[in-house]
Amino acid sequence: FEKLKNFCDSFLEFGVPGFDLAVYKNGECILRHMNGYSDLENKIKIKGNERYNIYSCSKVIICTAALQLWEKGLFSLEDKLSDYMPEFTEMTVKTENGVKKAENEILIKHLFEMTAGFSYNTASPQILRCKEETNGRCPTRETMKYIAKEPLLFEPGERWEYSLCHDVLAAFIEVISGEKVEEYVRKNIFNVLG
């Protein structure tokens, strides 16, 4: 793991104050490497028992849930999203010359990869409309009908963009599993983990 350790250590040169890396295989820790400071100003070295804020942590849970359903053979990564969620059939794309019909279909793999063309604008006109029409509830599956009306930023599969792809994936889980996403993850991930 020397190459990986050296790579992580190089983060310190770019101003990252510290890091703590753990790699597990078959439930066993096969690498633990940390370096830098948990408190840079007071020069307190990382000890390995620090607490970290983990942002967007639901994305890992959503991807895990979707991959559980994939492992059961309930869909292919090459499937069209519109085959499961018809509101994504007639997508449009923003271009330099205005909005046009999308040439490429959104595939399920694009949701995992964040290459579907969605934005991360949670204040878009359609999402604001969804908030208004659902009294702020924005149920996962229902919200997709609004998101699908927004033009994509680019053709699906063309490039990567941090976006609402995993939110759409959560709605896809509801369609495939027949359960609310929170119920699915509770039963199949959180309860299993205790």
Side-chain angles (χ1 to χ4, degrees):
F1 292 109
E2 289 310 307
K3 190 174 179 181
L4 178 59
K5 289 179 184 179
N6 291 336
F7 175 71
C8 290
D9 288 339
S10 73
F11 295 157
L12 302 176
E13 298 167 21
F14 295 108
V16 173
F19 66 87
D20 186 352
L21 169 69
V23 177
Y24 281 78
K25 182 177 181 182
N26 299 325
E28 180 184 336
C29 183
I30 58 172
L31 172 65
R32 182 78 186 268
H33 180 62
M34 60 195 87
N35 199 352
Y37 300 96
S38 62
D39 183 338
L40 186 60
E41 291 78 21
N42 294 308
K43 301 290 185 216
I44 298 172
K45 294 286 280 176
I46 287 185
K47 298 180 188 105
N49 61 355
E50 292 79 11
R51 289 182 179 225
Y52 296 95
N53 291 324
I54 302 175
Y55 298 96
S56 295
C57 59
S58 65
K59 289 173 176 38
V60 174
I61 302 302
I62 293 303
C63 287
T64 299
L67 287 172
Q68 287 177 335
L69 297 167
W70 172 79
E71 284 179 331
K72 292 177 181 177
L74 298 178
F75 67 91
S76 165
L77 296 174
E78 299 295 327
D79 287 348
K80 297 176 195 172
L81 176 62
S82 60
D83 288 345
Y84 301 90
M85 300 167 71
E87 62 267 36
F88 291 102
T89 300
E90 296 291 326
M91 296 304 295
T92 58
V93 180
K94 290 181 185 176
T95 70
E96 297 168 353
N97 302 320
V99 176
K100 69 172 186 87
K101 184 181 184 309
E103 295 174 18
N104 300 339
E105 291 274 353
I106 298 172
L107 304 180
I108 303 306
K109 70 178 181 179
H110 295 147
L111 300 177
F112 284 99
E113 300 168 341
M114 288 204 180
T115 59
F118 297 114
S119 76
Y120 203 64
N121 183 2
T122 58
S124 71
Q126 286 298 323
I127 290 181
L128 292 176
R129 185 172 166 217
C130 177
K131 287 177 183 177
E132 181 183 321
E133 292 180 3
T134 64
N135 294 317
R137 292 181 305 107
C138 297
T140 304
R141 181 67 186 96
E142 191 175 329
T143 301
M144 297 308 114
K145 294 169 185 158
Y146 295 88
I147 289 175
K149 291 178 184 172
E150 288 285 339
L152 299 172
L153 298 179
F154 51 87
E155 285 287 339
E158 189 176 90
R159 65 181 172 86
W160 179 89
E161 176 85 19
Y162 189 81
S163 67
L164 296 172
C165 278
H166 292 169
D167 300 80
V168 177
L169 191 58
F172 177 72
I173 291 167
E174 290 190 355
V175 170
I176 296 296
S177 70
E179 299 178 69
K180 292 283 190 190
V181 70
E182 57 267 25
E183 287 302 315
Y184 180 89
V185 298
R186 182 179 299 116
K187 285 191 324 194
N188 295 282
I189 297 175
F190 297 128
N191 288 351
V192 173
L193 292 172

